[in-house]
Every structure is written in C-alpha cells, then in structure tokens.
Amino acid sequence: MNENLKPPTREQLIDVRRQMATVQYGKELLEKKRDALLRTLEEDRRNFKKLESFFREQMRHISFIYALIRMYEGQSVLQFIKPEREHTQVDVERHTLMGCRYSQFKPLKEQVFSLSGLAYDPAMASLYVDDLLNEMKKIEEKVWLFINLKAKLSALEKELSKTMLKINTLQYILIPTLHKEESRIRDILSERERQERYAVKKLSKKKKLQGFSYFPE
C-alpha cells in the first residue's frame, strides 16, 4: 500500500517536527560558515587589491626604465640581462578553512635573485639596467604571495557559492515543504479529533436517551 494513502499519525507529526528542527539547525550552521567565509574573503580581497596596486605601480616603473634602456642601450642589452635559471620546483601544501580546501605553493628551494647568473658586465652598462633589475627583484618577492592569495580566493569563492546554494535550498525549498507537511498532518489530526469528539458526544447522548427509556415515569 502506498505510504501517502495511509492516514497520518501523531508519530508522523513528531517526526516532521524533528526533521524541521534538524534542517533549521543545519541551516544555522551553514549561515555561520557563510559568515566566516565572507569575513575571510573580505580581508583577502582587501590584501589582494593592495597587491594588485603594488604590481601596477611596479609595472609603471619597469615600463619607464625599460623604455630608457631601449633608448640609450639598445635591444641587445636586454638579451644579456636574462637570468640563466632552471625551472622552479614547487611544493604544494593543502589547507582547510571551514570545510573549504585550497592549495598553497612555495618553491622547494629558496629563490634568491642574484646578478651572478646574468650574462652581462655591470661595469659596462648604465645605471638604468641596475634600476630595472632592482624593480624586477621587488616583483619577484611578491609573486608567491600573489599566486597563493589568488588560489585561496578562487577556492573560497567557489565554496561560498556552494554554501549559498545549500542555504537557499533549505530556506526556500526544504523548510517550506516541511512546514506544509506539518500543517497538512496537523489539520487532518485536528479534524479527526473533532469528528471523534462529535461521535463520542453523540454516542453519549444516545446512551443517555436509552437510559431514560428503561425507567419511564
């Protein structure tokens, strides 16, 4: 027999209310997670914005110095200041924040910016070349911070999107459905109790009338 065709009972009403309490508690936990993610995202976005401003400022300096080198030294000098460095080996660390997993990266060996790996003689070049290398060194020191912050922001934004989807599903679909089911069962039980009270009252009245018929005046 189909369960939906069975008359509801008080046990079913209690079970629905228990489900409502569980779902509401889960929704509150997800809202706390959402708030924590938003606070972290707000702080990281603020730091990322500062980092972007730093990179834009450094790129303006590098572009200006690069133009001066092209003007006074020529294109050939730029070929000599390319660093002769092997590919960087990267170590990956896994982190978890409020159920959100994200990766952070760092070089296996400390990367030190040195002029010894450059195929040019500093004494034979202008000061503009040194200025360019110094500006590039400033950017290199911030590259890993930029990469890790970008990776963390991407993971947190995805986790926040999934959390908001779960909250909306509970708030606008599951909780209203449980409320409707509770109301339906409660109305059926109330109507059943009203009918039972009416039947008992009618039976009691009938018995009373039968009792009077046994003892006529």
Side-chain angles (χ1 to χ4, degrees):
M1 182 178 180
N2 193 343
E3 294 292 334
N4 295 328
L5 299 179
K6 292 182 179 180
T9 61
R10 289 195 172 277
E11 287 75 13
Q12 290 179 344
L13 180 62
I14 294 173
D15 184 61
V16 170
R17 288 175 175 173
R18 188 182 299 114
Q19 291 181 41
M20 290 175 57
T22 302
V23 171
Q24 186 63 37
Y25 178 71
K27 177 174 172 288
E28 292 174 358
L29 291 179
L30 287 172
E31 289 173 342
K32 291 180 180 179
K33 177 180 178 179
R34 176 201 60 192
D35 295 340
L37 289 173
L38 285 173
R39 286 193 297 269
T40 304
L41 274 170
E42 182 179 358
E43 181 180 358
D44 288 344
R45 283 171 178 167
R46 185 166 53 248
N47 294 333
F48 189 76
K49 188 175 181 180
K50 294 179 180 178
L51 198 57
E52 282 186 319
S53 299
F54 167 80
F55 274 108
R56 284 195 294 267
E57 184 67 22
Q58 289 302 114
M59 290 308 300
R60 282 195 292 267
H61 293 166
I62 289 176
S63 298
F64 177 72
I65 298 172
Y66 180 83
L68 293 176
I69 293 175
R70 288 286 302 273
M71 183 182 301
Y72 293 103
E73 301 289 342
Q75 179 66 25
S76 59
V77 175
L78 299 175
Q79 300 298 324
F80 290 111
I81 64 175
K82 290 183 178 180
E84 299 176 356
R85 178 181 297 175
E86 299 178 355
H87 294 293
T88 302
Q89 295 181 341
V90 178
D91 182 28
V92 181
E93 294 181 354
R94 308 293 182 181
H95 296 269
T96 303
L97 176 64
M98 296 297 293
C100 173
R101 297 181 179 180
Y102 61 94
S103 301
Q104 297 287 267
F105 310 93
K106 66 178 181 180
L108 288 176
K109 297 180 181 179
E110 185 178 358
Q111 301 295 304
V112 180
F113 191 92
S114 174
L115 302 181
S116 60
L118 302 178
Y120 92 111
D121 185 0
M124 302 300 294
S126 66
L127 294 177
Y128 295 131
V129 175
D130 291 335
D131 292 339
L132 177 62
L133 295 175
N134 289 331
E135 294 298 325
M136 292 173 63
K137 180 180 178 181
K138 292 179 182 179
I139 288 183
E140 187 178 30
E141 294 171 350
K142 300 289 185 178
V143 164
W144 290 108
L145 179 60
F146 179 88
I147 293 174
N148 289 328
L149 198 53
K150 182 65 176 178
K152 183 180 179 182
L153 280 173
S154 179
L156 290 178
E157 288 171 352
K158 290 180 180 179
E159 187 67 24
L160 178 61
S161 178
K162 292 191 294 185
T163 302
M164 292 299 300
L165 180 60
K166 292 178 182 178
I167 292 174
N168 291 336
T169 301
L170 294 181
Q171 183 173 355
Y172 298 109
I173 297 179
L174 188 55
I175 291 179
T177 300
L178 291 174
H179 273 298
K180 289 180 180 179
E181 181 66 12
E182 182 203 20
S183 179
R184 183 186 72 84
I185 296 175
R186 189 175 61 248
D187 291 343
I188 292 175
L189 293 178
S190 298
E191 178 63 21
R192 185 187 301 168
E193 290 177 357
R194 188 188 68 79
Q195 292 177 357
E196 290 175 353
R197 285 195 303 268
Y198 176 77
V200 170
K201 185 177 180 181
K202 185 176 180 180
L203 181 61
S204 177
K205 185 177 180 180
K206 183 178 180 181
K207 288 183 177 180
K208 187 176 181 181
L209 291 175
Q210 289 177 350
F212 282 132
S213 64
Y214 292 144
F215 301 99
E217 294 181 1

